[in-house]
Amino acid sequence: MNILHLTDFHINRQNRKKFDELCQSIGDAIKSLDKECYPDIILATGDLTETGNQDEYKWFKEGFKKMLLLEPFNKVKHIMIVPGNHDFSWQVEETRDESFRYLCDNIETGLSKLEQTEQSRADKNLVKHIFIKGSNKNVLLIGMNSMKIDSKEAPGLGYFSKEQLRIVEGIIDFYRTKNSKKLQIMVAFHHHLVPVAVLERDTLDNRDKYSITIDARRAINTFLDKSVDFAVHGHQHQPSMVTWKDDERKDDKVLHIISAGCLAGKLYAGEGARNSFMLYSIKDDRVIVNKAESADNDSDIYVWSSVE
């Protein structure tokens, strides 16, 4: 099973005409691999748009649906999207996530459901999941909303809340109790749990660029308690892989924390920026993390590297 992890498109009026080219180059990069690597699941971890307005969502939806018609995406049965801080409109508190939810209704497919009461709690908190049975192990992908407090007044601040983490615990317990096979668990969200950059760009010069997930340690502890294998995200525009082990714990559990980078390119992130995305190949005995990063001299060509 393969999960394609895309993030941080930042579609806006300036770059929307380049979106088809970007999607084509992503497809070409995947096509350069063996067909066994074609994705079954597409995961997008936020900042699909630049300001969360209806035009940007329209452009993203149209371009994304065109991408799905390309050959490397003919196996895709599941699509999951979680929100980023640029996807919510902050003009009216009550409707700030309205356009995002509408996009999800039009694009997402193959999501799994809980019993009605629990599903209603999950929907309210923008928690979603995909459960897939395998021959030797099952896969559970959970999408989370790190946008609980990120706003005009608190830009860049990620937060999950106790309620959301309890919902995630409940989803994991539900599938673990029902199935005896090994459960490979991945959680996905937008904001980072640990810093990706040595020093975040412009943080010292512009406090609005400051970014942190306030309850990151609580979330990490929850993930370790529930034997989550991977926590994947976007937001900081640089690909990164960190293995977290808590020395205060008596067990040997670890959490692999992965940032997929950015697909906004130089227009958004500066001259030195590269596009990047991840492709997770889940095997019976291992997980291969494949990173695609645009070449120095051609942003439409991707170079692959991998780690198990």
Side-chain angles (χ1 to χ4, degrees):
M1 182 187 311
N2 302 303
I3 301 175
L4 175 63
H5 179 190
L6 309 174
T7 196
D8 291 74
F9 294 87
H10 290 275
I11 296 302
N12 57 37
R13 193 170 298 278
Q14 290 174 281
N15 63 14
R16 69 183 180 94
K17 292 183 179 178
K18 296 277 189 180
F19 190 33
D20 286 350
E21 295 175 23
L22 172 66
C23 292
Q24 182 66 56
S25 66
I26 293 170
D28 290 344
I30 296 171
K31 196 172 181 179
S32 70
L33 303 174
D34 192 284
K35 286 189 176 181
E36 289 185 0
C37 294
Y38 283 11
D40 305 281
I41 299 172
I42 297 179
L43 166 68
T45 53
D47 282 1
L48 317 175
T49 67
E50 178 62 16
T51 63
N53 70 43
Q54 291 184 1
D55 283 341
E56 291 170 353
Y57 275 113
K58 175 177 176 288
W59 299 329
F60 180 85
K61 181 179 71 174
E62 291 173 349
F64 190 87
K65 286 190 171 183
K66 283 183 188 176
M67 184 184 78
L68 294 177
L69 299 176
L70 300 176
E71 180 198 333
F73 305 104
N74 58 21
K75 284 174 52 183
V76 173
K77 294 181 180 178
H78 310 269
I79 300 172
M80 177 188 287
I81 303 171
V82 298
N85 57 307
H86 284 261
D87 294 323
F88 281 12
S89 171
W90 302 112
Q91 302 304 314
V92 182
E93 177 71 18
E94 292 76 15
T95 60
R96 67 180 190 173
D97 64 352
E98 196 173 77
S99 294
F100 174 78
R101 287 180 181 270
Y102 182 76
L103 176 79
C104 292
D105 289 342
N106 279 270
I107 288 185
E108 285 185 324
T109 186
L111 299 187
S112 302
K113 296 291 184 182
L114 300 167
E115 295 174 0
Q116 186 173 356
T117 302
E118 293 304 307
Q119 188 60 46
S120 295
R121 287 179 63 223
D123 290 341
K124 181 180 177 182
N125 285 273
L126 276 175
V127 177
K128 52 194 74 175
H129 73 284
I130 296 168
F131 174 74
I132 300 176
K133 286 186 176 182
S135 54
N136 293 306
K137 69 178 177 183
N138 301 323
V139 175
L140 177 61
L141 170 62
I142 302 176
M144 302 176 66
N145 173 25
S146 60
M147 289 293 303
K148 284 290 198 177
I149 62 174
D150 194 313
S151 62
K152 276 186 176 180
E153 294 72 31
L157 297 187
Y159 185 75
F160 296 113
S161 83
K162 289 181 180 179
E163 181 181 13
Q164 187 175 178
L165 290 171
R166 280 194 292 266
I167 293 169
V168 170
E169 289 176 318
I171 292 172
I172 294 171
D173 290 343
F174 176 80
Y175 287 105
R176 188 165 274 143
T177 301
K178 286 182 62 175
N179 299 274
S180 57
K181 291 178 186 174
K182 173 179 170 56
L183 189 61
Q184 189 99 65
I185 308 170
M186 178 180 290
V187 294
F189 38 86
H190 182 67
H191 293 81
H192 54 290
L193 294 177
V194 297
V196 171
V198 175
L199 181 64
E200 293 186 39
R201 183 183 293 111
D202 299 330
T203 295
L204 299 180
D205 297 326
N206 183 356
R207 296 299 293 176
D208 287 344
K209 295 287 186 179
Y210 181 80
S211 184
I212 189 173
T213 297
I214 292 179
D215 59 344
R217 185 60 183 265
R218 180 170 65 192
I220 288 172
N221 286 342
T222 297
F223 300 153
L224 288 171
D225 287 342
K226 292 299 177 182
S227 299
V228 171
D229 303 292
F230 296 91
V232 303
H233 63 88
H235 190 52
Q236 282 193 308
H237 293 193
Q238 296 181 56
S240 169
M241 297 183 224
V242 173
T243 298
W244 180 284
K245 185 180 185 305
D246 192 336
D247 290 336
E248 293 182 354
R249 300 175 66 95
K250 294 182 180 179
D251 56 48
D252 293 324
K253 293 179 179 179
V254 297
L255 177 68
H256 304 289
I257 303 172
I258 300 175
S259 167
C262 175
L263 287 167
K266 294 180 173 59
L267 182 63
Y268 189 91
E271 274 304 311
R274 297 185 187 183
N275 285 351
S276 64
F277 61 90
M278 298 289 183
L279 179 68
Y280 311 116
S281 295
I282 301 176
K283 311 292 186 182
D284 285 341
D285 58 343
R286 67 196 189 281
V287 175
I288 303 171
V289 180
N290 303 286
K291 177 178 72 173
E293 198 166 23
S294 57
D296 279 335
N297 58 350
D298 192 339
S299 61
D300 292 329
I301 296 177
Y302 288 86
V303 178
W304 288 97
S305 60
S306 63
V307 62
E308 293 187 18

